[in-house]
Coordinates of all heavy atoms in Angstrom, one line a residue:
M1 N 0.8 -1.2 0.0 CA -0.1 0.0 0.0 C 0.8 1.3 0.0 O 0.5 2.2 -0.7 CB -0.9 0.0 1.2 CG -2.0 -1.0 1.2 SD -3.1 -0.6 -0.1 CE -4.7 -1.0 0.6
I2 N 1.9 1.3 0.8 CA 2.7 2.4 0.9 C 3.3 2.8 -0.5 O 3.2 3.9 -0.8 CB 3.8 2.4 2.0 CG1 3.3 2.0 3.4 CG2 4.7 3.4 1.9 CD1 2.4 3.2 3.9
A3 N 3.8 1.8 -1.1 CA 4.4 2.1 -2.4 C 3.4 2.5 -3.4 O 3.6 3.5 -4.2 CB 5.1 0.8 -3.0
R4 N 2.2 2.1 -3.3 CA 1.1 2.5 -4.2 C 0.7 3.9 -4.0 O 0.5 4.7 -4.9 CB -0.2 1.6 -4.0 CG -1.2 1.9 -5.1 CD -2.3 0.9 -5.0 NE -3.5 1.6 -4.3 CZ -4.4 1.1 -3.8 NH1 -4.5 -0.3 -3.8 NH2 -5.4 1.7 -3.3
Y5 N 0.6 4.3 -2.7 CA 0.3 5.7 -2.3 C 1.4 6.6 -2.8 O 1.2 7.8 -3.3 CB 0.1 5.9 -0.8 CG -1.0 5.0 -0.3 CD1 -1.3 4.9 1.1 CD2 -2.0 4.5 -1.2 CE1 -2.3 4.2 1.6 CE2 -3.1 3.8 -0.6 CZ -3.3 3.6 0.7 OH -4.3 2.9 1.2
K6 N 2.7 6.3 -2.7 CA 3.8 7.2 -3.1 C 3.7 7.2 -4.6 O 4.0 8.4 -5.1 CB 5.2 6.6 -2.5 CG 5.4 6.7 -1.0 CD 6.7 6.2 -0.7 CE 6.9 6.4 0.9 NZ 8.2 5.9 1.3
A7 N 3.5 6.1 -5.2 CA 3.4 6.3 -6.7 C 2.3 7.2 -7.2 O 2.4 7.9 -8.2 CB 3.2 4.8 -7.3
W8 N 1.2 7.1 -6.4 CA 0.1 7.9 -6.8 C 0.5 9.4 -6.7 O 0.2 10.2 -7.7 CB -1.1 7.7 -5.8 CG -2.4 8.5 -6.1 CD1 -3.4 8.0 -6.9 CD2 -2.8 9.7 -5.7 NE1 -4.5 9.0 -7.0 CE2 -4.0 10.0 -6.3 CE3 -2.3 10.7 -5.0 CZ2 -4.8 11.2 -6.1 CZ3 -2.9 11.9 -4.7 CH2 -4.1 12.2 -5.3
F9 N 1.2 9.8 -5.7 CA 1.6 11.3 -5.6 C 2.6 11.6 -6.6 O 2.7 12.7 -7.2 CB 2.3 11.5 -4.1 CG 1.1 11.8 -3.2 CD1 0.7 10.8 -2.2 CD2 0.5 13.0 -3.0 CE1 -0.3 11.2 -1.3 CE2 -0.5 13.3 -2.1 CZ -0.8 12.3 -1.2
A10 N 3.5 10.6 -6.9 CA 4.6 10.9 -8.0 C 4.0 11.1 -9.3 O 4.5 11.9 -10.1 CB 5.5 9.6 -8.1
A11 N 2.8 10.5 -9.6 CA 2.1 10.7 -10.8 C 1.2 11.9 -10.8 O 0.7 12.2 -12.0 CB 1.2 9.4 -11.2
R12 N 1.2 12.7 -9.8 CA 0.3 13.9 -9.7 C 1.1 15.0 -9.1 O 1.0 15.4 -8.0 CB -1.0 13.5 -8.9 CG -1.9 12.6 -9.6 CD -2.9 12.0 -8.7 NE -3.7 11.1 -9.3 CZ -3.4 9.8 -9.7 NH1 -2.2 9.3 -9.4 NH2 -4.2 9.1 -10.3
P13 N 1.9 15.6 -9.9 CA 2.7 16.8 -9.5 C 1.9 18.1 -9.0 O 2.4 18.9 -8.4 CB 3.6 17.1 -10.7 CG 2.8 16.6 -11.9 CD 2.0 15.4 -11.4
E14 N 0.5 18.0 -9.3 CA -0.3 19.2 -8.9 C -0.5 19.1 -7.3 O -0.9 20.1 -6.8 CB -1.7 19.2 -9.7 CG -2.5 17.9 -9.3 CD -2.3 16.8 -10.2 OE1 -1.2 16.7 -10.9 OE2 -3.2 16.0 -10.4
F15 N -0.2 18.0 -6.7 CA -0.4 17.8 -5.3 C 1.1 17.9 -4.6 O 2.0 17.3 -5.2 CB -1.0 16.5 -4.8 CG -2.4 16.5 -5.3 CD1 -2.9 15.5 -6.3 CD2 -3.4 17.3 -4.7 CE1 -4.3 15.5 -6.6 CE2 -4.8 17.2 -5.1 CZ -5.2 16.4 -6.0
A16 N 1.1 18.5 -3.5 CA 2.4 18.6 -2.8 C 2.7 17.2 -2.2 O 1.8 16.4 -2.0 CB 2.3 19.7 -1.7
D17 N 3.9 17.0 -2.0 CA 4.3 15.7 -1.2 C 3.7 15.8 0.1 O 3.5 16.8 0.8 CB 5.8 15.7 -1.1 CG 6.6 15.4 -2.3 OD1 5.9 14.8 -3.3 OD2 7.8 15.7 -2.3
P18 N 3.1 14.6 0.5 CA 2.5 14.6 1.8 C 3.3 14.9 3.0 O 4.5 14.6 2.9 CB 2.0 13.1 2.0 CG 2.6 12.3 0.9 CD 3.2 13.2 -0.1
P19 N 2.9 15.7 3.9 CA 3.8 16.1 5.0 C 4.1 14.9 5.9 O 3.5 13.9 6.0 CB 2.9 17.1 5.8 CG 1.5 16.7 5.5 CD 1.5 16.1 4.1
E20 N 5.3 15.0 6.5 CA 5.7 14.0 7.5 C 5.5 14.7 8.8 O 5.6 15.8 9.0 CB 7.3 13.8 7.3 CG 7.6 13.1 6.0 CD 9.1 12.8 5.9 OE1 9.8 12.8 6.9 OE2 9.6 12.5 4.8
R21 N 5.2 13.7 9.7 CA 4.8 14.2 11.1 C 6.2 14.6 11.7 O 7.2 14.0 11.7 CB 4.3 12.9 12.0 CG 3.9 13.4 13.4 CD 3.5 12.2 14.2 NE 2.2 11.7 13.8 CZ 1.0 12.2 14.3 NH1 1.0 13.3 15.0 NH2 -0.1 11.8 13.9
Q22 N 6.0 15.8 12.4 CA 7.1 16.4 13.1 C 7.1 15.9 14.6 O 6.0 15.6 15.2 CB 6.9 18.0 13.1 CG 6.9 18.6 11.7 CD 8.0 18.4 10.9 OE1 9.1 18.5 11.4 NE2 7.9 18.1 9.7
V23 N 8.2 15.9 15.1 CA 8.4 15.4 16.6 C 7.5 16.3 17.4 O 7.6 17.5 17.3 CB 9.8 15.5 17.0 CG1 9.9 15.2 18.5 CG2 10.7 14.5 16.1
G24 N 6.6 15.7 18.1 CA 5.8 16.4 19.1 C 4.5 17.1 18.5 O 3.8 17.6 19.1
E25 N 4.4 16.9 17.1 CA 3.2 17.4 16.4 C 1.9 16.9 16.8 O 1.8 15.6 16.9 CB 3.5 17.4 15.0 CG 2.4 18.0 14.1 CD 2.7 18.1 12.6 OE1 3.4 17.1 12.2 OE2 2.3 19.0 12.0
S26 N 0.9 17.5 17.0 CA -0.4 17.0 17.4 C -1.1 16.4 16.2 O -0.8 16.8 15.0 CB -1.3 18.0 18.1 OG -1.7 18.9 17.0
D27 N -2.1 15.5 16.3 CA -2.8 14.9 15.2 C -3.6 16.1 14.5 O -3.7 16.1 13.3 CB -3.8 13.9 15.7 CG -3.1 12.6 16.2 OD1 -2.0 12.5 15.8 OD2 -3.9 11.8 16.8
D28 N -4.1 17.0 15.3 CA -4.8 18.0 14.6 C -4.0 19.0 13.7 O -4.4 19.4 12.7 CB -5.6 18.9 15.7 CG -6.7 18.2 16.4 OD1 -7.4 17.4 15.7 OD2 -6.9 18.5 17.6
D29 N -2.8 19.2 14.2 CA -1.9 20.0 13.3 C -1.4 19.3 12.2 O -1.3 19.9 11.1 CB -0.7 20.5 14.2 CG -0.9 21.6 15.4 OD1 -2.1 22.2 15.2 OD2 -0.1 21.7 16.2
L30 N -1.2 18.1 12.3 CA -0.8 17.3 11.1 C -2.0 17.2 10.1 O -1.7 17.3 9.0 CB -0.4 15.9 11.5 CG 0.0 14.9 10.4 CD1 1.1 15.5 9.4 CD2 0.4 13.5 10.9
A31 N -3.1 17.0 10.6 CA -4.3 17.0 9.7 C -4.5 18.3 9.0 O -4.8 18.3 7.8 CB -5.6 16.7 10.6
Q32 N -4.2 19.4 9.6 CA -4.3 20.7 8.9 C -3.3 20.8 7.9 O -3.6 21.3 6.8 CB -4.1 21.8 10.0 CG -4.3 23.2 9.4 CD -4.1 24.4 10.3 OE1 -4.1 24.2 11.7 NE2 -4.2 25.6 9.8
R33 N -2.1 20.3 8.1 CA -1.0 20.4 7.1 C -1.4 19.4 5.9 O -1.0 19.8 4.8 CB 0.4 20.1 7.8 CG 0.8 21.1 8.6 CD 2.3 21.0 9.0 NE 2.8 19.8 9.4 CZ 3.7 19.0 8.9 NH1 4.3 19.5 7.7 NH2 4.1 17.9 9.3
I34 N -2.0 18.3 6.2 CA -2.4 17.5 5.1 C -3.5 18.2 4.3 O -3.4 18.2 3.0 CB -2.9 16.2 5.7 CG1 -1.8 15.3 6.2 CG2 -3.8 15.3 4.6 CD1 -2.2 14.1 7.0
E35 N -4.4 18.8 4.9 CA -5.5 19.5 4.2 C -4.9 20.5 3.3 O -5.1 20.7 2.1 CB -6.4 20.2 5.1 CG -7.4 19.2 5.7 CD -8.3 19.9 6.7 OE1 -8.3 21.2 6.8 OE2 -9.1 19.2 7.4
E36 N -3.9 21.3 3.8 CA -3.2 22.4 3.0 C -2.4 21.8 1.8 O -2.3 22.4 0.8 CB -2.3 23.2 3.9 CG -3.0 24.1 5.0 CD -2.1 24.6 6.1 OE1 -0.9 24.2 6.1 OE2 -2.7 25.3 6.9
S37 N -1.7 20.6 2.0 CA -0.9 20.0 1.1 C -1.8 19.5 -0.1 O -1.3 19.3 -1.2 CB -0.1 18.9 1.6 OG -0.7 17.7 1.9
C38 N -3.1 19.3 0.1 CA -4.0 18.7 -0.9 C -4.7 19.8 -1.6 O -5.5 19.5 -2.5 CB -4.9 17.6 -0.3 SG -4.0 16.1 0.1
G39 N -4.6 21.0 -1.2 CA -5.2 22.1 -1.9 C -6.5 22.6 -1.3 O -6.9 22.1 -0.3
P40 N -7.0 23.7 -1.8 CA -8.2 24.4 -1.2 C -9.4 23.6 -1.1 O -10.2 23.7 -0.1 CB -8.4 25.6 -2.1 CG -7.7 25.4 -3.3 CD -6.5 24.4 -3.0
K41 N -9.6 22.5 -2.0 CA -10.8 21.7 -1.9 C -10.7 20.7 -0.7 O -11.7 20.1 -0.4 CB -11.0 20.9 -3.2 CG -11.5 21.9 -4.3 CD -11.7 21.1 -5.6 CE -12.2 22.1 -6.7 NZ -12.4 21.4 -8.0
A42 N -9.6 20.5 -0.2 CA -9.4 19.6 0.9 C -9.6 20.4 2.3 O -9.6 19.7 3.3 CB -8.0 19.0 1.0
A43 N -9.8 21.6 2.3 CA -10.1 22.4 3.5 C -11.2 21.9 4.2 O -12.3 21.7 3.6 CB -10.2 23.8 3.2
G44 N -11.2 21.5 5.5 CA -12.3 21.1 6.3 C -12.5 19.6 6.2 O -13.5 19.0 6.6
A45 N -11.5 18.9 5.7 CA -11.6 17.4 5.5 C -11.8 16.7 6.8 O -12.5 15.7 7.0 CB -10.5 16.8 4.7
F46 N -11.0 17.1 7.9 CA -11.1 16.5 9.1 C -11.9 17.2 10.2 O -12.0 18.4 10.1 CB -9.6 16.4 9.6 CG -8.7 15.6 8.8 CD1 -7.8 16.2 7.9 CD2 -8.8 14.1 8.7 CE1 -6.9 15.4 7.0 CE2 -8.0 13.4 8.0 CZ -7.1 14.0 7.1
T47 N -12.4 16.4 11.0 CA -13.2 16.9 12.2 C -13.0 15.8 13.4 O -12.5 14.8 13.1 CB -14.7 17.1 11.9 OG1 -15.3 17.7 12.9 CG2 -15.4 15.7 11.6
R48 N -13.6 16.2 14.5 CA -13.4 15.3 15.6 C -14.8 14.9 16.0 O -15.7 15.8 16.1 CB -12.7 16.0 16.8 CG -11.2 16.0 16.6 CD -10.5 16.0 17.9 NE -9.1 15.9 17.7 CZ -8.4 14.7 17.7 NH1 -9.1 13.6 18.0 NH2 -7.2 14.6 17.4
E49 N -15.1 13.6 16.2 CA -16.2 13.1 16.6 C -15.9 12.2 17.8 O -15.2 11.3 17.7 CB -17.1 12.3 15.6 CG -17.6 13.2 14.5 CD -18.8 12.6 13.7 OE1 -19.5 11.6 14.2 OE2 -19.1 13.1 12.7
Q50 N -16.5 12.6 19.0 CA -16.3 11.7 20.2 C -14.7 11.6 20.4 O -14.2 10.5 20.8 CB -17.0 10.3 20.1 CG -18.4 10.4 19.9 CD -19.1 10.9 21.1 OE1 -18.9 10.6 22.2 NE2 -20.1 11.7 20.9
S51 N -14.0 12.6 20.2 CA -12.7 12.8 20.4 C -11.8 12.0 19.5 O -10.6 11.9 19.6 CB -12.2 12.6 21.9 OG -12.2 11.2 22.1
V52 N -12.5 11.5 18.4 CA -11.7 10.7 17.3 C -11.5 11.6 16.1 O -12.6 12.1 15.7 CB -12.5 9.4 17.1 CG1 -11.9 8.6 15.9 CG2 -12.5 8.6 18.2
L53 N -10.4 11.7 15.6 CA -10.2 12.4 14.3 C -10.8 11.5 13.2 O -10.4 10.3 13.1 CB -8.8 12.6 14.0 CG -8.4 13.6 12.9 CD1 -8.9 15.0 13.2 CD2 -6.9 13.6 12.7
T54 N -11.7 12.2 12.3 CA -12.3 11.5 11.3 C -12.6 12.4 10.2 O -12.3 13.6 10.2 CB -13.6 10.9 11.8 OG1 -14.2 9.9 10.7 CG2 -14.6 11.9 12.2
F55 N -13.1 12.0 9.1 CA -13.5 12.7 7.9 C -14.8 13.4 8.3 O -15.7 12.8 8.8 CB -13.6 12.0 6.6 CG -12.2 11.4 6.1 CD1 -12.1 10.1 5.9 CD2 -11.3 12.4 5.7 CE1 -10.9 9.5 5.4 CE2 -10.1 11.8 5.2 CZ -9.9 10.5 5.1
S56 N -14.8 14.7 7.9 CA -16.0 15.5 8.1 C -17.2 15.0 7.2 O -17.0 15.0 5.9 CB -15.8 17.0 7.9 OG -16.9 17.7 7.6
P57 N -18.3 14.6 7.8 CA -19.5 14.2 6.9 C -19.8 15.3 5.9 O -20.2 15.0 4.8 CB -20.6 13.8 7.8 CG -19.8 13.7 9.1 CD -18.6 14.5 9.2
E58 N -19.9 16.5 6.3 CA -20.2 17.6 5.4 C -19.2 17.8 4.3 O -19.6 18.0 3.2 CB -20.3 19.0 6.3 CG -21.4 19.0 7.2 CD -21.0 18.3 8.6 OE1 -19.9 17.9 8.8 OE2 -21.9 18.0 9.4
W59 N -17.9 17.7 4.6 CA -17.0 17.7 3.6 C -17.1 16.6 2.6 O -17.0 16.8 1.4 CB -15.5 17.6 4.2 CG -14.4 17.7 3.2 CD1 -13.9 18.8 2.6 CD2 -13.6 16.6 2.8 NE1 -12.9 18.5 1.7 CE2 -12.7 17.1 1.9 CE3 -13.6 15.3 3.1 CZ2 -11.7 16.4 1.2 CZ3 -12.7 14.5 2.4 CH2 -11.7 15.0 1.6
M60 N -17.3 15.4 3.1 CA -17.6 14.2 2.3 C -18.7 14.5 1.3 O -18.7 14.2 0.1 CB -17.8 12.9 3.0 CG -16.6 12.5 3.8 SD -15.2 11.8 2.7 CE -15.9 10.4 2.2
Q61 N -19.8 15.0 1.9 CA -21.0 15.3 1.1 C -20.7 16.3 0.0 O -21.2 16.1 -1.1 CB -22.2 15.8 2.1 CG -23.4 16.1 1.4 CD -24.1 14.8 0.9 OE1 -24.0 13.6 1.5 NE2 -24.8 14.9 -0.3
S62 N -20.0 17.3 0.4 CA -19.7 18.3 -0.7 C -18.9 17.7 -1.8 O -19.0 18.1 -2.9 CB -19.0 19.5 0.0 OG -17.6 19.1 0.3
L63 N -18.1 16.8 -1.5 CA -17.2 16.1 -2.6 C -18.2 15.3 -3.5 O -18.0 15.4 -4.6 CB -16.2 15.2 -2.0 CG -14.9 15.8 -1.4 CD1 -14.0 14.7 -0.9 CD2 -14.2 16.8 -2.4
M64 N -19.0 14.6 -2.8 CA -20.1 13.8 -3.7 C -20.9 14.6 -4.5 O -21.2 14.3 -5.6 CB -20.8 12.8 -2.7 CG -19.9 11.8 -2.0 SD -20.8 10.8 -0.7 CE -22.3 10.5 -1.5
E65 N -21.3 15.8 -4.0 CA -22.2 16.7 -4.8 C -21.6 17.5 -5.9 O -22.0 17.6 -6.9 CB -22.8 17.7 -3.9 CG -23.9 17.1 -2.8 CD -24.4 18.0 -1.8 OE1 -23.8 19.2 -1.8 OE2 -25.2 17.7 -1.1
N66 N -20.2 17.8 -5.7 CA -19.4 18.6 -6.6 C -19.0 17.7 -7.8 O -19.2 18.2 -9.0 CB -18.3 19.2 -5.9 CG -17.6 20.2 -6.8 OD1 -17.7 20.2 -8.0 ND2 -16.9 21.1 -6.2
R67 N -18.5 16.6 -7.5 CA -17.9 15.7 -8.6 C -16.7 16.3 -9.5 O -16.4 15.7 -10.5 CB -19.1 15.2 -9.4 CG -20.2 14.5 -8.7 CD -20.1 13.0 -9.2 NE -21.3 12.4 -8.6 CZ -21.2 11.2 -7.9 NH1 -20.0 10.6 -7.9 NH2 -22.3 10.7 -7.3
D68 N -16.3 17.5 -9.1 CA -15.3 18.2 -9.8 C -13.9 17.8 -9.3 O -13.3 18.6 -8.5 CB -15.5 19.6 -9.9 CG -14.5 20.3 -10.6 OD1 -14.0 19.8 -11.6 OD2 -14.2 21.5 -10.4
G69 N -13.5 16.6 -9.6 CA -12.2 16.1 -9.0 C -12.2 15.7 -7.6 O -11.2 15.5 -6.9
G70 N -13.5 15.4 -7.0 CA -13.6 15.1 -5.7 C -12.9 13.8 -5.3 O -12.3 13.7 -4.2
S71 N -12.9 12.8 -6.2 CA -12.2 11.5 -5.8 C -10.7 11.7 -5.8 O -10.0 11.1 -4.9 CB -12.5 10.4 -6.9 OG -12.1 10.8 -8.1
E72 N -10.2 12.6 -6.5 CA -8.7 12.9 -6.4 C -8.3 13.6 -5.1 O -7.4 13.3 -4.5 CB -8.3 13.9 -7.6 CG -8.2 13.1 -8.9 CD -7.1 12.2 -9.1 OE1 -5.9 12.6 -9.3 OE2 -7.3 10.9 -9.1
I73 N -9.3 14.5 -4.7 CA -9.0 15.1 -3.4 C -9.2 14.2 -2.3 O -8.3 14.2 -1.3 CB -10.0 16.3 -3.2 CG1 -9.9 17.4 -4.4 CG2 -9.8 17.0 -1.9 CD1 -8.5 18.0 -4.6
L74 N -10.1 13.3 -2.3 CA -10.3 12.4 -1.3 C -9.1 11.5 -1.2 O -8.6 11.2 -0.2 CB -11.6 11.5 -1.5 CG -11.8 10.4 -0.5 CD1 -11.9 11.0 0.9 CD2 -13.1 9.6 -0.9
N75 N -8.6 11.0 -2.4 CA -7.5 10.1 -2.5 C -6.3 10.8 -1.9 O -5.5 10.2 -1.1 CB -7.1 9.6 -3.9 CG -8.1 8.7 -4.4 OD1 -8.7 8.0 -3.7 ND2 -8.1 8.5 -5.7
C76 N -6.0 12.1 -2.2 CA -4.9 12.9 -1.7 C -5.0 12.9 -0.2 O -4.0 12.6 0.5 CB -5.0 14.3 -2.3 SG -3.6 15.3 -1.7
V77 N -6.1 13.3 0.4 CA -6.2 13.4 1.8 C -6.0 12.0 2.5 O -5.3 11.9 3.5 CB -7.6 14.0 2.2 CG1 -7.8 13.9 3.7 CG2 -7.7 15.4 1.7
F78 N -6.6 11.0 2.0 CA -6.7 9.7 2.6 C -5.2 9.0 2.5 O -4.6 8.6 3.5 CB -7.6 8.7 2.0 CG -7.5 7.3 2.6 CD1 -8.2 7.1 3.8 CD2 -7.0 6.3 2.0 CE1 -8.2 5.9 4.5 CE2 -6.9 5.0 2.7 CZ -7.5 4.9 3.8
Y79 N -4.6 9.2 1.3 CA -3.2 8.7 1.2 C -2.2 9.5 1.9 O -1.2 8.9 2.5 CB -2.8 8.7 -0.4 CG -3.6 7.8 -1.3 CD1 -3.6 7.9 -2.6 CD2 -4.5 6.8 -0.8 CE1 -4.3 7.0 -3.5 CE2 -5.2 5.9 -1.6 CZ -5.2 6.1 -3.0 OH -5.9 5.3 -3.8
A80 N -2.4 10.8 1.9 CA -1.4 11.6 2.7 C -1.5 11.2 4.2 O -0.5 11.1 4.9 CB -1.7 13.0 2.5
A81 N -2.8 11.1 4.7 CA -2.9 10.7 6.0 C -2.3 9.3 6.4 O -1.6 9.2 7.5 CB -4.4 10.6 6.5
S82 N -2.5 8.4 5.5 CA -1.8 7.0 5.6 C -0.2 7.2 5.6 O 0.3 6.5 6.5 CB -2.3 6.1 4.6 OG -3.7 5.9 4.5
L83 N 0.3 7.8 4.7 CA 1.7 8.0 4.6 C 2.3 8.8 5.8 O 3.4 8.6 6.2 CB 2.1 8.6 3.3 CG 1.9 7.9 2.0 CD1 2.1 8.6 0.8 CD2 2.8 6.7 2.0
S84 N 1.5 9.6 6.4 CA 1.9 10.5 7.6 C 1.6 9.8 8.9 O 2.0 10.4 9.9 CB 1.3 11.8 7.5 OG 1.6 12.5 6.3
S85 N 1.1 8.6 8.8 CA 0.7 7.9 10.1 C -0.3 8.6 10.9 O -0.2 8.6 12.1 CB 1.9 7.5 10.9 OG 2.8 6.6 10.1
L86 N -1.2 9.3 10.3 CA -2.3 10.0 11.0 C -3.4 9.0 11.3 O -4.0 8.5 10.4 CB -2.8 11.2 10.2 CG -3.9 12.0 10.9 CD1 -3.3 12.8 12.1 CD2 -4.5 13.0 9.9
P87 N -3.7 8.8 12.6 CA -4.7 7.8 12.9 C -6.1 8.6 12.6 O -6.4 9.6 13.1 CB -4.6 7.6 14.4 CG -3.9 8.8 14.9 CD -3.0 9.4 13.8
I88 N -7.0 7.8 11.9 CA -8.2 8.4 11.4 C -9.3 7.3 11.8 O -9.2 6.1 11.4 CB -8.4 8.6 10.0 CG1 -7.3 9.6 9.5 CG2 -9.7 9.1 9.6 CD1 -7.3 9.8 8.1
G89 N -10.3 7.7 12.5 CA -11.5 6.7 12.8 C -12.5 6.9 11.6 O -12.7 8.0 11.1
L90 N -12.9 5.9 11.2 CA -14.0 5.8 10.1 C -15.3 5.3 10.7 O -15.3 4.2 11.3 CB -13.5 5.0 8.9 CG -12.2 5.4 8.3 CD1 -11.9 4.4 7.1 CD2 -12.3 6.8 7.7
F91 N -16.4 6.2 10.5 CA -17.6 5.8 11.0 C -18.6 5.4 9.9 O -18.4 5.9 8.8 CB -18.2 7.0 11.8 CG -17.5 7.3 13.0 CD1 -16.6 8.4 13.0 CD2 -17.7 6.7 14.2 CE1 -15.8 8.7 14.2 CE2 -17.0 7.0 15.3 CZ -16.1 8.1 15.4
G92 N -19.5 4.6 10.2 CA -20.5 4.3 9.1 C -21.6 5.3 9.0 O -21.4 6.5 9.3
N93 N -22.7 4.9 8.5 CA -23.8 5.8 8.4 C -24.4 6.3 9.6 O -25.2 7.2 9.7 CB -24.9 5.2 7.5 CG -24.4 5.1 6.1 OD1 -23.5 5.8 5.6 ND2 -25.0 4.1 5.4
E94 N -24.2 5.5 10.7 CA -24.8 5.8 12.0 C -24.1 7.0 12.8 O -22.9 7.1 12.5 CB -24.9 4.6 12.8 CG -23.6 4.2 13.6 CD -22.6 3.4 12.6 OE1 -23.0 3.1 11.4 OE2 -21.5 3.2 13.0
R95 N -24.7 7.7 13.5 CA -24.2 8.7 14.4 C -24.1 8.1 15.8 O -25.0 7.5 16.3 CB -24.9 10.0 14.4 CG -25.0 10.7 13.0 CD -23.9 11.8 13.3 NE -23.9 12.9 12.3 CZ -23.0 13.5 11.9 NH1 -21.8 13.2 12.3 NH2 -23.1 14.4 11.1
I96 N -23.0 8.5 16.5 CA -22.9 8.1 17.8 C -23.7 9.0 18.6 O -23.7 10.3 18.6 CB -21.4 8.2 18.3 CG1 -20.5 7.3 17.4 CG2 -21.3 8.0 19.8 CD1 -19.0 7.4 17.7
S97 N -24.5 8.4 19.6 CA -25.4 9.2 20.5 C -24.5 10.0 21.4 O -23.6 9.5 22.0 CB -26.3 8.2 21.2 OG -27.1 7.5 20.3
E98 N -25.0 11.2 21.8 CA -24.2 12.0 22.7 C -24.9 11.9 24.0 O -26.0 11.8 24.2 CB -24.2 13.4 22.2 CG -23.3 13.4 21.0 CD -23.1 14.9 20.5 OE1 -23.1 15.8 21.3 OE2 -22.8 15.0 19.3

């Protein structure tokens, strides 16, 4: 998987190289740098639900509605997070009760 993700970025020079985690860097700060590296359409990709960093449902919805390169942006964010060792929780269609 790692080689595939790196090859994906190598084939797309329009995206910056995924950031590497800095010593002592928080997950939230790394998530923000990933969003920035993937461009303006990646802004707001991450959110916290029940203290778990995850993809924003609103951001995902906007990608699905726009269809203007949305899959490329999603791939950029997901692959960069994976390469940067950013832990992301993935939730299904259900919402956690508060």
Side-chain angles (χ1 to χ4, degrees):
M1 291 291 216
I2 298 299
R4 187 174 106 195
Y5 295 167
K6 287 181 178 182
W8 187 91
F9 279 101
R12 290 162 180 83
E14 66 271 21
F15 293 112
D17 289 336
E20 294 182 17
R21 182 183 288 274
Q22 304 296 316
V23 175
E25 184 175 33
S26 71
D27 289 345
D28 292 325
D29 288 342
L30 178 56
Q32 181 177 358
R33 289 195 312 120
I34 289 171
E35 289 178 7
E36 291 168 357
S37 75
C38 290
K41 291 183 181 177
F46 295 104
T47 189
R48 285 206 172 267
E49 289 202 18
Q50 301 294 319
S51 75
V52 175
L53 192 64
T54 189
F55 291 117
S56 162
E58 294 79 14
W59 179 77
M60 294 289 291
Q61 183 67 34
S62 73
L63 286 183
M64 291 171 47
E65 290 171 355
N66 189 340
R67 302 246 185 226
D68 182 28
S71 64
E72 289 286 289
I73 302 301
L74 177 60
N75 286 341
C76 182
V77 171
F78 183 78
Y79 295 167
S82 296
L83 290 171
S84 302
S85 299
L86 180 67
I88 302 171
L90 299 178
F91 296 96
N93 291 335
E94 75 282 353
R95 286 268 198 206
I96 297 173
S97 300
E98 294 189 24

